[in-house]
Amino acid sequence: MIAVIVVRDGVLPLGADETVAEAGGRALLVGTGVKEAAGGLTTLKTGLLAENGTFAPGRWAAQLAGVLAESDQVLLPSSPDGRDLAPRLAAELGRPLYPGAVRVTASQVELSRWDSRVTVTLPAPAPFVATLQPGVRGRPAEPDHGRPPHHTAITLPDRDVPDVEVLEVLAPEPGTVDLAEAPRIFAAGAGLGHGDLDGPSAVKLLGSVASALGASLGATRVVTDAGWTGYHRQIGTTGVVAAPELYVAFGISGAAQHIGGLRDPAHVVSVNIDPSCPMTAMAELGIVADAQSVLVELARILEAR
């Protein structure tokens, strides 16, 4: 088993360490600044480093096929580049593709389906390519320091194949970015539905405020089950696992299922009438007030400015 990690200017994609850990510490890093990126992987034991220029999924798939042919299981993080390269690799290798995996072994794959509400286990005895969902497997709490990682620089063969041309890479809009990659999240809980606004209207207003502040909209399962927003916005053990720099929780008590979907956010703000709820207890800043009232006032201030 081997992990394939796409590197851009020395920056690792989301889920890189988890994917390398799932592959037993063996990885092929390809792109620009791969040596620098290898130093940031705590789970890497054996690394193949291929400095290969600007990301070109068609050309890269043709180049990597020969190197990966002897590896029965090829794993990529389910990052944008990983999702772009994986199907091309599967086609070049003549293997099935298992997208959205949450666990991979030598003989089976567990896949997340139905907005992460269902896990499907499939037997996979033959060689395959899979993408691993970020934030669901984690990585060892303590890296293995038994011996230092072994790196080998390799040169990929030239391949002249039709490919896309990247003109520009744009930052994603906060309203559409995958929550697993969002740096700021404003999340709605059941408490946001109490007040002059009904639940859907309050969540819509929160989305507008979040967008104005460069943040993405998140929600608890109670909110998505009620139909106030889509399941793709659900954070928790049965939803998306997120690790934002800033997490602002409006009317969220902090049930274990929801907190289980947060991976150590750098800063947490809780707006809740209960000063003793778990979410407020874990927050750096706790605003003890009605969540909807605070949201409406925040929207008013932003509109005035």
Side-chain angles (χ1 to χ4, degrees):
M1 192 180 296
I2 189 170
V4 176
I5 307 298
V6 176
V7 180
R8 289 179 181 262
D9 299 326
V11 178
L12 292 165
L14 184 72
D17 247 326
E18 293 174 89
T19 307
V20 175
E22 192 76 347
R26 185 166 177 254
L28 189 159
L29 280 70
V30 57
T32 53
V34 292
K35 186 175 181 180
E36 176 188 352
L41 284 170
T42 62
T43 56
L44 183 64
K45 297 178 181 178
T46 304
L48 301 176
L49 309 183
E51 195 73 24
N52 203 40
T54 305
F55 181 62
R59 173 172 60 85
W60 282 21
Q63 291 176 300
L64 292 169
V67 180
L68 300 171
E70 296 182 359
S71 298
D72 288 341
Q73 291 82 33
V74 177
L75 309 183
L76 295 91
S78 190
S79 60
D81 287 341
R83 295 195 300 268
D84 202 358
L85 181 59
R88 291 173 168 84
L89 270 179
E92 286 287 340
L93 292 167
R95 302 178 181 181
L97 171 66
Y98 298 105
V102 295
R103 184 187 301 270
V104 177
T105 68
S107 60
Q108 66 180 29
V109 180
E110 293 182 20
L111 302 176
S112 175
R113 293 293 181 262
W114 289 87
D115 291 320
S116 299
R117 288 176 287 168
V118 175
T119 300
V120 180
T121 302
L122 300 177
F128 60 83
V129 177
T131 58
L132 191 71
Q133 293 275 48
V136 297
R137 297 290 287 123
R139 56 181 186 265
E142 294 294 334
D144 182 7
H145 293 301
R147 60 184 180 87
H150 176 69
H151 300 161
T152 301
I154 63 172
T155 301
L156 298 177
D158 291 332
R159 290 288 186 272
D160 185 15
V161 298
D163 211 337
V164 296
E165 179 184 357
V166 179
L167 301 179
E168 186 178 3
V169 178
L170 303 176
E173 292 291 332
T176 59
V177 67
D178 191 324
L179 283 178
E181 301 174 19
R184 300 177 179 177
I185 297 176
F186 282 23
L192 193 61
H194 300 292
D196 293 336
L197 300 176
D198 61 14
S201 299
V203 172
K204 183 178 180 180
L205 180 61
L206 179 60
S208 299
V209 168
S211 181
L213 296 175
S216 302
L217 174 67
T220 64
R221 180 167 182 170
V222 172
V223 170
T224 58
D225 281 347
W228 298 354
T229 188
Y231 280 103
H232 64 291
R233 290 292 158 192
Q234 180 179 320
I235 297 172
T237 54
T238 56
V240 177
V241 177
E245 297 174 7
L246 172 65
Y247 190 75
V248 185
F250 284 83
I252 298 176
S253 62
Q257 293 88 343
H258 180 74
I259 292 178
L262 293 175
R263 289 285 185 267
D264 300 322
H267 305 286
V268 177
V269 177
S270 173
V271 184
N272 203 295
I273 59 174
D274 182 3
S276 302
C277 69
M279 184 59 74
T280 300
M282 70 177 289
E284 287 181 288
L285 173 63
I287 300 174
V288 182
D290 175 67
Q292 191 178 119
S293 298
V294 172
L295 173 62
V296 170
E297 180 63 13
L298 179 56
R300 186 193 66 78
I301 294 172
L302 289 173
E303 185 177 4
R305 291 183 177 180

